[in-house]
Amino acid sequence: MEENKNMYCYKYPHPSVATDCVIFGFDGNDINVLLIERGIEPFKGLWAFPGGFMRIDESAEQCAARELAEETSLEVKYMEQLKAFSAVGRDPRERVVSIAFYALVRLKDVQGGDDAARAQWFPIHSVPGLAFDHDRILREATSRLREKLCFEPIGFDLLPEVFTMGQLQRLYEAILDVSFDRRNFAKKILKLDLLIEEGNRPDNAPTRIPRMYRFNKEKYDELKRKGIKLEF
Amino acid sequence: MEENKNMYCYKYPHPSVATDCVIFGFDGNDINVLLIERGIEPFKGLWAFPGGFMRIDESAEQCAARELAEETSLEVKYMEQLKAFSAVGRDPRERVVSIAFYALVRLKDVQGGDDAARAQWFPIHSVPGLAFDHDRILREATSRLREKLCFEPIGFDLLPEVFTMGQLQRLYEAILDVSFDRRNFAKKILKLDLLIEEGNRPDNAPTRIPRMYRFNKEKYDELKRKGIKLEF
DNA sequence: ACAAAAGTGTTAGGCCTACACCCATGA
DNA sequence: TCATGGGTGTAGGCCTAACACTTTTGT
């Protein structure tokens, strides 16, 4: 690599590398994704995932977190890599390889950040036409989310700290696009033994007042350390 | 992007993009991976996965297939993307983002290609020290292989067309690193109803002669089209 | 002779599914 | 008063795991 008139020069052409972030949220009924309206060409006016070009001194993971924070003021604990998208024509300007990530957040966490850009949540079944190959990225991310939910209790990242069994069930139903019997669902979840009952609901509480639970993260981390695989 | 003295110049530094191929084979007892001995620095003399730099006019998938063929004469039907590796210092020469792929092949398929390069199969538990961050790539690929085997009957790509239940069981045991009861394993596999019994084993065949099976790919493809998920 | 591989069937326990009625609340 | 959401328990079916003996062949 040589520098030349403040340019970075290479013997062979190099693609650009970018990241895209698929951020999932749950509004109590539907899975939502966070999109940004593009202010510049190409695809000006269309919606796209937050993301941007990777700097030479950062990893793709760092890039994704930085771009997400810049564009949406969202700080996400953990983003997981989906995969790289590298079709030749996926960006009309130049050759861009994009490494896509996905993360789950509590919807309320981002409400304050919406002013940072034209960022907006869309229910996953009402997503508008997307820029670039982001439709495809969304499809693959959704499918990965679904698979992952069957093996790891990631759903709790989408709910408030304290939640009811009904909320949890609606979340699972929204992601997996199925419906469960209420009683069987509760039995199955409780059998995992990863929920802590929260507060002290009196025995004589009126039935309309639901039990509250929180996720037992410590216990889950311990199980994971021991390499135990759980399955929903 | 400008050309300058046959150089490709950009306003910002661009990383190189490369691919690496983790090729799994099964020798009847162990899972093996195909490695290439590096003939040049860096890491000269160490072993690494086949792979190389992506050209500007090909996708990562095309690049992986091309590099694999060039270095090992292997033609693989289908490679699946593992993920991109992008840590800043992963290549000492320059910034390289590598997109890793994995594939499963029948071991015999490659015996003729070994002369194409210093390519060699290594049992997965006797892999030598690897160049770059390929140890990590191997760990992630192995773990992905294991997960995938639980959901899709990918194991058959590693066996001959026609195989015995014992071979299939050894394969599952090698990948998942567990052991199964012979009778329960056969029941579980046969219940998937994806095996065709091959040839006509006479009823009075000596017990030492095992039944032969082949994978019913047509039926599996049909199930997959219908979106039925099977689980082992 | 012995070790290795393959054929064969049963049982008990756990898990999953389906399913009905009551109570409290808010519209 | 009606719809909604939540609390609760059981019975049947399916799957899984555990488990032993016999035959044949190669060493």
Side-chain angles (χ1 to χ4, degrees):
Chain A
M1 194 256 284
E2 292 178 23
E3 287 195 43
N4 206 326
K5 290 193 280 166
N6 293 322
M7 302 285 278
Y8 297 85
C9 299
Y10 308 88
K11 223 173 140 184
Y12 299 99
H14 281 41
S16 289
V17 174
T19 57
D20 287 301
C21 304
V22 184
I23 308 297
F24 291 106
F26 183 62
D27 63 15
N29 273 309
D30 266 319
I31 297 296
N32 289 49
V33 289
L34 186 59
L35 297 175
I36 298 216
E37 191 180 4
R38 285 184 62 79
I40 55 167
E41 294 293 347
F43 300 110
K44 183 171 175 176
L46 285 194
W47 295 82
F49 294 117
F53 290 104
M54 191 178 77
R55 296 184 183 158
I56 204 70
D57 60 349
E58 67 184 359
S59 66
E61 286 72 15
Q62 289 164 338
C63 170
R66 177 181 55 74
E67 290 282 353
L68 182 65
E70 286 176 13
E71 297 187 347
T72 71
S73 332
L74 253 190
E75 307 269 352
V76 170
K77 291 176 287 272
Y78 176 65
M79 274 197 273
E80 174 139 335
Q81 189 183 134
L82 176 59
K83 61 179 279 198
F85 291 82
S86 65
V88 170
R90 61 177 295 283
D91 188 315
R93 294 166 295 186
E94 54 167 340
R95 190 71 208 289
V96 179
V97 171
S98 179
I99 304 177
F101 290 81
Y102 66 100
L104 314 179
V105 304
R106 305 197 163 93
L107 253 195
K108 68 166 173 54
D109 288 356
V110 82
Q111 299 296 17
D114 277 3
D115 49 13
R118 297 162 305 284
Q120 193 177 313
W121 289 103
F122 288 88
I124 199 142
H125 291 114
S126 321
V127 167
L130 297 181
F132 304 105
D133 55 356
H134 288 195
D135 295 300
R136 174 147 178 234
I137 294 180
L138 177 58
R139 251 182 296 124
E140 299 212 21
T142 308
S143 140
R144 180 78 73 90
L145 175 65
R146 209 172 282 138
E147 285 166 25
K148 187 133 180 136
L149 186 65
C150 293
F151 280 107
E152 292 184 47
I154 50 175
F156 304 103
D157 291 333
L158 288 162
L159 288 177
E161 284 285 328
V162 174
F163 50 86
T164 68
M165 192 58 75
Q167 289 176 295
L168 185 62
Q169 181 175 350
R170 276 186 293 279
L171 170 62
Y172 270 73
E173 291 178 339
I175 295 181
L176 301 176
D177 200 24
V178 296
S179 64
F180 296 106
D181 178 88
R182 200 160 44 97
R183 296 150 289 187
N184 295 336
F185 178 84
K187 264 181 286 186
K188 208 164 159 184
I189 287 284
L190 291 172
K191 188 162 48 61
L192 297 179
D193 203 19
L194 287 173
L195 294 192
I196 301 171
E197 194 170 340
E198 172 70 14
N200 32 10
R201 182 177 180 279
D203 274 357
N204 60 355
T207 67
R208 183 60 187 275
I209 296 178
R211 290 181 204 277
M212 307 295 288
Y213 298 95
R214 66 171 63 238
F215 179 51
N216 190 343
K217 182 147 177 35
E218 293 68 35
K219 177 150 184 190
Y220 171 62
D221 287 339
E222 191 191 319
L223 285 179
K224 206 162 58 173
R225 252 185 295 113
K226 289 191 200 145
I228 293 173
K229 141 175 154 185
L230 31 97
E231 208 168 312
F232 179 76
Chain B
M1 195 257 284
E2 293 177 21
E3 286 195 44
N4 206 325
K5 292 192 279 167
N6 293 323
M7 302 284 278
Y8 296 86
C9 299
Y10 309 88
K11 225 173 138 185
Y12 299 99
H14 281 40
S16 289
V17 173
T19 59
D20 287 302
C21 304
V22 184
I23 308 296
F24 291 106
F26 181 62
D27 63 14
N29 273 310
D30 267 318
I31 298 296
N32 289 48
V33 288
L34 187 59
L35 296 174
I36 297 214
E37 190 180 3
R38 285 184 62 79
I40 54 166
E41 293 293 345
F43 302 109
K44 182 170 175 177
L46 285 193
W47 295 82
F49 295 117
F53 290 103
M54 191 178 77
R55 296 183 182 158
I56 204 69
D57 60 350
E58 67 185 358
S59 66
E61 286 71 16
Q62 289 164 339
C63 170
R66 177 182 52 76
E67 289 283 353
L68 182 65
E70 284 176 14
E71 297 186 346
T72 72
S73 333
L74 252 190
E75 308 269 353
V76 170
K77 291 176 287 271
Y78 176 64
M79 274 197 273
E80 174 139 333
Q81 190 184 131
L82 176 58
K83 62 180 277 198
F85 291 82
S86 65
V88 170
R90 61 177 295 281
D91 189 315
R93 295 165 294 184
E94 54 167 339
R95 189 73 209 289
V96 179
V97 171
S98 179
I99 304 177
F101 290 80
Y102 67 99
L104 313 180
V105 304
R106 307 198 161 92
L107 253 194
K108 67 167 175 51
D109 287 357
V110 83
Q111 298 297 16
D114 277 4
D115 49 13
R118 296 161 307 285
Q120 196 178 313
W121 289 103
F122 288 87
I124 198 141
H125 291 113
S126 322
V127 167
L130 297 181
F132 304 105
D133 55 355
H134 287 196
D135 295 300
R136 175 150 177 232
I137 294 179
L138 177 58
R139 252 182 295 126
E140 300 211 22
T142 309
S143 140
R144 180 78 75 91
L145 176 66
R146 210 172 282 139
E147 286 165 24
K148 187 134 179 135
L149 187 65
C150 294
F151 281 106
E152 293 184 49
I154 50 174
F156 304 103
D157 291 333
L158 288 162
L159 288 176
E161 284 285 328
V162 173
F163 50 87
T164 68
M165 192 58 76
Q167 289 176 294
L168 186 61
Q169 180 174 351
R170 276 186 293 281
L171 170 62
Y172 270 73
E173 291 178 339
I175 294 181
L176 301 177
D177 199 26
V178 295
S179 66
F180 296 105
D181 177 88
R182 203 160 43 95
R183 295 152 288 184
N184 293 336
F185 178 85
K187 264 181 285 185
K188 207 163 159 184
I189 287 284
L190 290 172
K191 187 162 48 62
L192 297 180
D193 203 20
L194 287 173
L195 295 191
I196 301 171
E197 194 171 339
E198 173 70 15
N200 32 10
R201 184 176 179 279
D203 274 355
N204 60 357
T207 67
R208 183 60 185 275
I209 296 177
R211 290 180 203 277
M212 307 296 285
Y213 299 94
R214 65 170 65 237
F215 179 52
N216 189 344
K217 182 148 178 33
E218 292 70 34
K219 176 151 184 190
Y220 171 62
D221 287 339
E222 191 190 319
L223 285 179
K224 206 163 57 173
R225 254 186 294 114
K226 289 190 199 148
I228 293 173
K229 140 175 154 187
L230 31 97
E231 207 167 312
F232 180 74

